[in-house]
């Protein structure tokens, strides 16, 4: 790693050191809010685009070129590794991941192969190409956390109440354990491959972990997320969930250096909840980008001020960019955060 990369504002904040400005990137910064994304995706299905290293490289770099954000995030999806091992699934536009045969039994779990690096050569190639182009801008690799990935496998698609997922968790703990152990191995390998190819940080997305209470999180979710994070070494790790206020102290114990705070949780509350040993990331409401610019920037300023109290603070939205977002607003937001005086 070059010293300019290692001394970048993003990696400094992630390590709990003091950067010269608050680093900023946006979850789902690459995607439908960008006209250049819609153009290169024309006629290409989501999963096919994730399997094409050249397209992945172009899409990953688009928001870096347009916004000058402090980090890129690898363009892929949390279900891509399942696709790579042969699970019959698709990503339906406007819906999300849809699984042909939901997983409900030990036999269903056993039928899912483990992920080996040779099954995802396009990921290695894509990461290498991106890192070469990015030069001193860090690339964040990512994977889905076992609970969130399991929810798609068990429900067969997106869910509001996670009824089938919880039925399995409470009613068939042996199947649950086998399934989450399997996914933890797949997610760990997916992260290791990205780090090996040059990603300089990783984020574990447990977007739907907020569906369970702290006691169930500790027993049925945390051990598997911890096992993924434990198997990734040498780079800063970010751990993120939505509706996670009650889970933050437990999430902070899973082994990541940074915990992502969703926008419903006041940032000062989040900083206290994760404790002094970890940095935070977040947490502007993605809908505030639709407010008048001065209102958006005023809220962003408050988040930066609050973030000073944390071990480290990486500015982000409190969840992904909304597809109808005006890119010019994100450009103004990026410039505002990067030029905000920290001294
Ligand atoms: O953040 C980034 O810029 C990197 C790319 C990225 C995507 N998905 C691209 C994508 C990342 C990090 C993800 C992770 C992901 N995928 C999560 C965790 C993060 C989160 O948002 O909470 C989840 C839950 C998924 C599952 C998934 N995939 C959903 C819910 C959807 C949206 C469905 C829809 O159409 O509204 C997808 C598809 C998807 N993944 C798109 C993108 C850009 C949209 C599909 C398209 O552009 O055609």
């Amino acid at each position: 790693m070059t010293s300019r990369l290692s001394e970048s504002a993003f990696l400094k904040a992630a390590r709990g050191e003091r950067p010269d400005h608050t680093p900023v990137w946006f979850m789902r910064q690459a995607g439908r809010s960008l006209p250049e994304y819609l153009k290169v995706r024309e006629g290409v299905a989501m999963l096919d685009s994730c399997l094409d290293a050249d397209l992945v490289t172009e899409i990953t770099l688009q928001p870096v070129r347009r916004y000058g954000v402090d980090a890129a995030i690898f363009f892929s999806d949390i279900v891509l590794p399942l696709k790579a091992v042969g699970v019959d699934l698709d990503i339906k536009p406007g819906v999300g991941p849809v699984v042909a045969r939901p997983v409900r039994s030990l036999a269903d779990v056993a039928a899912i192969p483990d992920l080996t690096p040779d099954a995802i050569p396009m990921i290695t190639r894509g990461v290498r190409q991106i890192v070469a182009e990015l030069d001193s801008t860090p690339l964040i690799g990512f994977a889905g956390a076992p609970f969130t990935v399991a929810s798609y496998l068990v429900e067969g698609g997106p869910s509001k109440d996670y009824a089938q997922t919880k039925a399995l968790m409470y009613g068939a703990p042996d199947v649950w354990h086998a399934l989450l152990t399997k996914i933890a191995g797949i997610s760990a390998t997916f992260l290791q491959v990205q780090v090996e190819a040059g990603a300089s940080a990783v984020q574990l997305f447990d977007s739907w972990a907020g569906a369970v209470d702290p006691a169930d999180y500790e027993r049925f979710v945390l051990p598997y997320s911890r096992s993924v994070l434990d198997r990734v070494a040498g780079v800063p790790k970010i751990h993120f969930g939505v509706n996670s206020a009650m889970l933050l102290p437990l999430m902070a114990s899973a082994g990541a250096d940074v915990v992502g705070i969703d926008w419903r949780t006041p940032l000062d509350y989040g900083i206290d909840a994760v404790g002094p040993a970890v940095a935070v990331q977040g947490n502007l409401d993605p809908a505030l980008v639709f407010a008048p610019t001065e209102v958006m920037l005023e809220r962003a300023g408050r988040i930066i001020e609050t973030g000073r109290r944390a071990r480290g603070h990486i500015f982000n939205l409190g969840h992904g960019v909304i597809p109808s977002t005006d890119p010019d607003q994100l450009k103004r937001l990026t410039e505002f955060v990067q030029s905000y005086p920290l001294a």
Side-chain angles (χ1 to χ4, degrees):
M1 192 184 289
T2 65
S3 71
R4 271 179 66 218
L5 174 57
S6 151
E7 295 303 304
S8 62
F10 172 85
L11 289 176
K12 276 189 145 177
R15 294 192 299 256
E17 298 162 19
R18 295 285 142 187
D20 62 357
H21 68 271
T22 301
V24 50
W25 69 280
F26 306 112
M27 291 186 275
R28 257 186 268 148
Q29 61 191 14
R32 287 166 291 181
S33 60
L34 296 181
E36 58 270 37
Y37 171 81
L38 296 174
K39 186 146 183 280
V40 297
R41 276 287 318 282
E42 249 171 56
V44 188
M46 175 65 191
L47 282 170
D48 290 338
S49 69
C50 296
L51 294 169
D52 178 338
D54 294 336
L55 200 46
V56 166
T57 301
E58 165 60 22
I59 293 172
T60 300
L61 295 173
Q62 285 177 347
V64 181
R65 285 188 206 120
R66 185 187 269 263
Y67 303 129
V69 277
D70 289 279
I73 180 158
F74 187 67
F75 183 80
S76 192
D77 195 83
I78 57 168
V79 297
L80 192 277
L82 296 174
K83 180 77 185 174
V85 298
V87 175
D88 187 355
L89 63 86
D90 197 7
I91 296 182
K92 293 232 156 73
V95 179
V98 178
V99 177
R101 283 176 301 278
V103 172
R104 302 284 164 81
S105 69
L106 280 177
D108 295 339
V109 176
I112 304 171
D114 289 322
L115 178 65
T116 51
D118 55 288
I120 44 173
M122 67 307 246
I123 301 295
T124 298
R125 201 163 86 77
V127 170
R128 284 198 183 131
Q129 290 185 166
I130 293 162
V131 168
E133 293 270 339
L134 279 173
D135 188 33
S136 60
T137 302
L139 174 67
I140 305 167
F142 78 90
F147 178 85
T148 292
V149 175
S151 78
Y152 288 104
L153 282 173
V154 177
E155 304 287 341
S159 174
K160 283 200 167 65
D161 46 29
Y162 306 95
Q164 297 303 323
T165 308
K166 289 182 182 179
L168 195 74
M169 189 172 94
Y170 297 124
D174 55 331
V175 180
W176 181 258
H177 172 74
L179 177 60
L180 270 78
T181 301
K182 171 84 69 172
I183 300 169
I186 291 173
S187 289
T189 301
F190 193 54
L191 291 178
Q192 284 161 352
V193 163
Q194 295 170 75
V195 171
E196 196 72 23
S200 46
V202 296
Q203 177 157 327
L204 189 65
F205 281 92
D206 210 354
S207 302
W208 314 139
V212 300
D213 74 10
D216 286 338
Y217 179 84
E218 189 165 18
R219 180 166 164 211
F220 294 112
V221 182
L222 176 63
Y224 308 99
S225 295
R226 182 177 281 143
S227 123
V228 178
L229 291 166
D230 279 351
R231 279 181 271 180
V232 178
V235 297
K237 303 168 229 180
I238 308 169
H239 189 188
F240 170 74
V242 176
N243 273 324
S244 58
M246 290 305 293
L247 306 179
L248 288 173
L250 291 165
M251 289 181 73
S253 76
D257 307 273
V258 183
V259 171
I261 313 289
D262 87 280
W263 55 268
R264 295 164 193 81
T265 308
L267 188 59
D268 54 356
Y269 177 95
I271 291 168
D272 289 336
V274 302
V278 293
V280 294
Q281 175 174 278
N283 75 338
L284 188 75
D285 181 348
L288 261 157
V289 171
F290 294 81
T293 303
E294 61 278 14
V295 176
M296 170 182 78
L297 298 182
E298 195 266 323
R299 296 294 190 98
R302 276 199 252 162
I303 286 171
I304 297 168
E305 290 292 341
T306 304
R308 291 174 195 267
R309 214 159 53 68
R311 175 177 161 81
H313 176 219
I314 298 163
F315 190 97
N316 205 313
L317 303 177
H319 198 183
V321 172
I322 297 168
S324 54
T325 291
D326 172 8
D328 291 341
Q329 278 287 78
L330 287 185
K331 173 81 182 157
R332 290 179 202 112
L333 181 57
T334 305
E335 285 170 354
F336 176 82
V337 176
Q338 291 174 336
S339 60
Y340 197 97
L342 272 190

